[in-house]
Amino acid sequence: MQPAASEDAAEARRWVDNEPSGKWFPGIPVAELWAERELALILALKDLKLRYKQTFFGVAWVLLQPLVAVLIFSLVFGRAAGLPTDGIPYPVFAYTGLALWFYFTAAVSSAAQCLLDNKELVAKVYFPRLLAPIASMLPGLVDLAVSLPVIAVFLAIWTVAPGLALLTLPLWVLATVVTALGAGLLLAGLNVRYRDVRFVLGFLIQAWLFATPVVYSISLIKGSWRYLYALNPMASIVAGFRWSIAGGPPPGLEVLVSGGVVVVLLAVGFLYFTHVERSFADVI
Amino acid sequence: MAAGTAIQVQGVSKRYRLGQGPYLTLRESLSRLVHKGSVSKEEVWALRDLSFDVDEGEVLGVIGLNGAGKSTLLKILSRITEPTAGRSRTRGRVGALLEVGTGFHPELTGRENIFLNGVILGLRRSEVTRRLDEIVAFAGVEQFLDTPIKRYSSGMYLRLAFAVAAHVDPDIVIVDEVLAVGDVQFRQRCLGRMSEFAREGRTVVLVSHDLGSINQICERALWLEGGRLRLDGPSAAVVDAYVRDAVPRGAVSTFDPEPNKPIQLLSAAVSAADSDANDVLRRDRPFAVELRFVVRERIPGLSVAFILETSQGVRVLDEDWGPDMGGELLPAALPQAYSARLVVPPVLAPGDYVLVGWVGTQAGAIVQREVLAFSLLPGPVDTSEAVQRNRVVQPGVRWEVEEIEALDVTEPAADSHA
């Protein structure tokens, strides 16, 4: 009799090899990732639990952060700069952009740090390393979910009624997750080797914000410039997310450019991460 | 199931690059791209062409000096890192315990950490839920289950961490030096659980500096030296060969110069006192401790003493060079160097000892500090069980047991009923 006679004992009894992989791209261990999914969940849960421990406002920060930002942006850009918002009241306009943007930056920066934050784990425990950046995508989704009812309240206050476009909302969220994962994988892999990433990350996110229609409208970019602009996938995604909730001009063909970039980014992220992950335990 | 093979290690080598920090800055990396010629860095082979098999249910000990490649081997077996060449194969669920409490977070409660750590060690959450009561009882932290573990004492922390590890359910258990932390009781408990793992028919690979434990738990041992396999065989034979060959013989420590002090220690040494031996410090042979120091001032009544303590802090010797032995240092010239030597008869039990040197007068110590740590090894006849016993002296007592005439035991019994 075998001691570990669980239902998947037969599964666990296969030979597992550890040898130098000669291939440049060793592949994505989908089955293993699925088998270890609980680890991703519990790492995400740990993140959530830790985030607001010993803070005065606690979970209220989930709402306070974007609300304060909305207030500031409304005053600066809505009043002072008088930016066009495609007829959407500025607070609604800003909040729809910011909610998604906050998720994106949180997911990217936590993915970039995920291996260093779990240094001990990487050096002392085997797990499919891809789980760490994937787990980093999850906690922010809770914040995003919490902000949706607040968006609904905003819509009620400024009497904006969403249309059928609302049905596309999950699509934009999914696209954000995929983009964040692509960028996060790349940064996480780089960060183990080059701690420069920590310093670059701040600038990167700032620059990325300016290149994304969060505080301003995508209609500021005219004509075929739009296609160049859409090389930043978050441009189309934020605009699309806002359109699905608050209306305005529907997305155009530039979405295809962004979609292509997302696919390439994700592929490059996976490629780079799986290429360097073998040496993580040695260099971290 | 008949004993199949659980682990195969086939020509495994592992190379680490030295001469650079643990990680590069981007600049260094870019410059390496440009100057392709200058990339050759110092390399170290932590493992070199290592091959062995482990049967299912076998308990294997791995011994060797620091840097022999023991930890690297465990990291490769558990797939934390990959070999540079060769192949390591495992069959079954692998539970690697390279550290007690990996992934514990101080801000989380005991309960949260049990789940976190359990899942990290390869349990499913449902399995942790099923075993939660057992784990909590094993650790004895019932009242503190919902307290953040940063408020735990270090003992509670260790117990909880080990409780989780003790309830994982792997086919192959890989353990690195876990037994080296905590107090004696805790170590005994870890050891007990390891033996249990073995009795349950699991395959166990155990790295330890504690040769007694290796002898006690493992039927087979590997001796690694410089990343290569030096010896593979029954653990008693391997441990014996290792002790004879690899453990440092005696020990010396030297001290930094302190030109302004009236008394300055130069060096301390411990060595086998009988001349025939190959300098191994063994419990069944006398050993000598020696302290060298410089006296720079004339101090009336200056004398010297040695204190010997076990690694648990039990004082076993406190010997001064007393007045009855003419014990006063009267330097002819200043400064004057001295050597004070003391021979300790073979009475102590094997184990780790700390030597404290003392130089001073009736008024008190001028210098008193731990000068040396050393180990007394078991004698050739000591069984591993005898080595494990918790005792300080082992002076070689003489037993006298004999049969004597039978006494009439019924009478006092009848008395007591009256």
Side-chain angles (χ1 to χ4, degrees):
Chain A
M1 270 307 290
Q2 290 310 312
S6 54
E7 65 272 21
D8 51 6
E11 183 83 359
R13 285 272 157 179
R14 278 203 312 251
W15 281 107
V16 176
D17 290 5
N18 182 11
E19 57 190 330
S21 55
K23 281 173 288 184
W24 209 92
F25 178 58
I28 298 167
V30 179
E32 196 185 5
L33 286 174
W34 180 246
E36 301 271 348
R37 61 193 179 277
E38 286 200 344
L39 184 56
L41 272 180
I42 205 138
L43 286 177
L45 257 166
K46 172 183 116 171
D47 242 47
L48 270 179
K49 279 178 181 158
L50 286 175
R51 192 139 32 118
Y52 300 109
K53 285 227 166 159
Q54 286 206 356
T55 57
F56 182 73
F57 286 110
V59 186
W61 276 114
V62 175
L63 298 178
L64 278 173
Q65 262 177 314
L67 283 178
V68 171
V70 166
L71 187 72
I72 294 170
F73 285 143
S74 299
L75 288 177
V76 175
F77 296 107
R79 290 277 162 77
L83 288 170
T85 61
D86 307 321
I88 303 166
Y90 197 84
V92 175
F93 178 88
Y95 195 34
T96 46
L98 282 168
L100 194 68
W101 181 255
F102 270 115
Y103 165 73
F104 178 72
T105 57
V108 168
S109 30
S110 100
Q113 278 297 322
C114 67
L115 295 170
L116 296 188
D117 287 349
N118 293 301
K119 223 184 220 177
E120 239 198 332
L121 276 192
V122 174
K124 299 281 182 186
V125 181
Y126 172 77
F127 62 94
R129 308 303 188 202
L130 276 169
L131 274 184
I134 290 174
S136 303
M137 299 298 117
L138 304 179
L141 285 177
V142 176
D143 300 358
L144 187 61
V146 170
S147 65
L148 287 180
V150 183
I151 291 180
V153 171
F154 269 52
L155 292 179
I157 294 174
W158 278 278
T159 60
V160 180
L164 265 182
L166 191 61
L167 293 175
T168 63
L169 183 123
L171 190 73
W172 305 111
V173 174
L174 182 71
T176 311
V177 174
V178 174
T179 311
L181 184 60
L185 284 170
L186 205 55
L187 291 168
L190 282 167
N191 206 3
V192 173
R193 236 161 238 274
Y194 313 106
R195 302 295 152 94
D196 308 69
V197 167
R198 194 171 17 145
F199 304 105
V200 174
L201 191 63
F203 295 116
L204 180 73
I205 283 176
Q206 216 162 21
W208 209 329
L209 171 66
F210 293 136
T212 305
V214 174
V215 297
Y216 58 87
S217 164
I218 194 170
S219 14
L220 276 183
I221 288 84
K222 306 274 194 240
S224 45
W225 285 110
R226 196 65 79 76
Y227 293 101
L228 187 68
Y229 185 62
L231 284 176
N232 165 19
M234 285 312 289
S236 302
I237 293 169
V238 167
F241 181 77
R242 181 179 287 135
W243 163 73
S244 76
I245 292 174
L253 279 177
E254 76 274 3
V255 171
L256 296 178
V257 176
S258 293
V261 173
V262 170
V263 170
V264 170
L265 184 65
L266 187 68
V268 170
F270 268 121
L271 264 169
Y272 181 70
F273 191 91
T274 49
H275 178 64
V276 294
E277 73 170 331
R278 289 168 262 162
S279 58
F280 281 166
D282 298 338
V283 295
I284 202 164
Chain B
M1 195 189 289
T5 309
I7 300 174
Q8 293 182 341
V9 173
Q10 300 163 337
V12 162
S13 297
K14 175 74 183 179
R15 179 186 56 206
Y16 286 107
R17 289 208 167 80
L18 291 183
Q20 61 193 38
Y23 49 87
L24 297 169
T25 65
L26 197 55
R27 191 168 54 84
E28 282 166 336
S29 206
L30 288 176
S31 77
R32 282 172 74 188
L33 271 181
V34 177
H35 310 286
K36 271 254 162 125
S38 65
V39 291
S40 73
K41 295 280 179 184
E42 211 182 322
E43 294 173 347
V44 182
W45 289 90
L47 287 177
R48 214 60 213 261
D49 198 21
L50 190 64
S51 298
F52 63 89
D53 285 0
V54 185
D55 287 339
E56 271 173 16
E58 197 171 15
V59 183
L60 177 76
V62 181
I63 58 178
L65 296 174
N66 288 334
K70 305 185 297 287
S71 296
T72 305
L73 172 62
L74 296 197
K75 282 192 173 180
I76 287 174
L77 288 180
S78 54
R79 289 204 291 157
I80 291 167
T81 186
E82 66 172 29
T84 311
R87 178 166 75 158
S88 124
R89 316 181 72 199
T90 50
R91 198 162 60 155
R93 189 139 89 152
V94 175
L97 235 116
L98 304 196
E99 199 176 61
V100 174
T102 307
F104 263 35
H105 199 287
E107 298 281 350
L108 296 178
T109 67
R111 184 194 306 274
E112 289 166 337
N113 269 306
I114 290 175
F115 275 92
L116 179 62
N117 197 230
V119 171
I120 285 170
L121 292 178
L123 291 174
R124 300 196 186 288
R125 272 195 301 172
S126 56
E127 291 173 313
V128 181
T129 312
R130 260 206 313 279
R131 289 166 205 195
L132 186 65
D133 292 339
E134 248 178 282
I135 294 173
V136 172
F138 191 91
V141 294
E142 290 89 344
Q143 298 142 271
F144 308 99
L145 198 52
D146 293 305
T147 310
I149 60 166
K150 63 179 174 182
R151 313 228 183 281
Y152 280 29
S153 71
S154 59
M156 279 163 64
Y157 179 95
L158 272 183
R159 286 207 307 276
L160 183 68
F162 186 71
V164 182
H167 287 83
V168 297
D169 190 24
D171 303 306
I172 300 173
V173 188
I174 294 175
V175 186
D176 189 6
E177 251 348 314
V178 180
L179 314 167
V181 296
D183 54 19
V184 178
Q185 258 181 325
F186 179 77
R187 289 212 294 266
Q188 283 301 329
R189 209 159 169 193
C190 295
L191 226 52
R193 186 62 185 120
M194 291 304 125
S195 314
E196 232 171 274
F197 272 138
R199 274 200 302 280
E200 289 162 1
R202 299 171 207 266
T203 311
V204 179
V205 178
L206 170 70
V207 160
S208 180
H209 283 115
D210 183 355
L211 302 176
S213 311
I214 295 275
N215 243 334
Q216 192 183 333
I217 302 178
C218 308
E219 58 240 38
R220 174 180 163 205
L222 299 184
W223 169 12
L224 296 188
E225 192 177 66
R228 294 173 193 272
L229 185 60
R230 170 80 183 264
L231 196 60
D232 176 355
S235 55
V238 174
V239 166
D240 190 55
Y242 172 72
V243 165
R244 267 186 282 119
D245 187 273
V247 172
R249 298 147 184 211
V252 178
S253 52
T254 53
F255 305 100
D256 296 334
E258 296 168 311
N260 302 320
K261 297 277 175 69
I263 308 287
Q264 201 227 306
L265 301 185
L266 297 173
S267 67
V270 57
S271 56
D274 50 355
S275 49
D276 68 309
N278 51 357
D279 274 356
V280 178
L281 294 176
R282 247 168 45 184
R283 71 135 192 101
D284 59 339
R285 290 216 296 264
F287 63 91
V289 292
E290 186 189 9
L291 188 66
R292 294 187 177 204
F293 55 95
V294 173
V295 177
R296 295 204 178 87
E297 279 174 31
R298 262 175 239 283
I299 303 168
L302 190 67
S303 190
V304 57
F306 283 116
I307 296 161
L308 193 63
E309 294 179 344
T310 68
S311 54
Q312 276 93 46
V314 178
R315 185 169 293 195
V316 289
L317 292 179
D318 184 348
E319 301 291 337
D320 65 334
W321 185 43
D324 52 322
M325 300 170 234
E328 187 175 1
L329 299 165
L330 299 164
L334 289 175
Q336 176 70 54
Y338 285 96
S339 156
R341 189 163 182 267
L342 189 72
V343 175
V344 180
V347 292
L348 299 176
D352 298 332
Y353 291 91
V354 176
L355 180 68
V356 178
W358 183 99
V359 182
T361 67
Q362 295 263 302
I366 298 171
V367 178
Q368 177 174 2
R369 56 176 290 184
E370 295 178 352
V371 289
L372 201 61
F374 62 93
S375 303
L376 275 187
L377 299 173
V381 296
D382 293 344
T383 62
S384 57
E385 186 279 327
V387 175
Q388 280 301 307
R389 276 182 234 163
N390 192 9
R391 58 181 162 184
V392 180
V393 296
Q394 194 176 344
V397 295
R398 218 175 74 223
W399 280 91
E400 286 172 10
V401 181
E402 55 188 306
E403 288 183 358
I404 53 176
E405 59 180 303
L407 295 173
D408 188 1
V409 291
T410 51
E411 221 171 284
D415 261 7
S416 69
H417 280 289

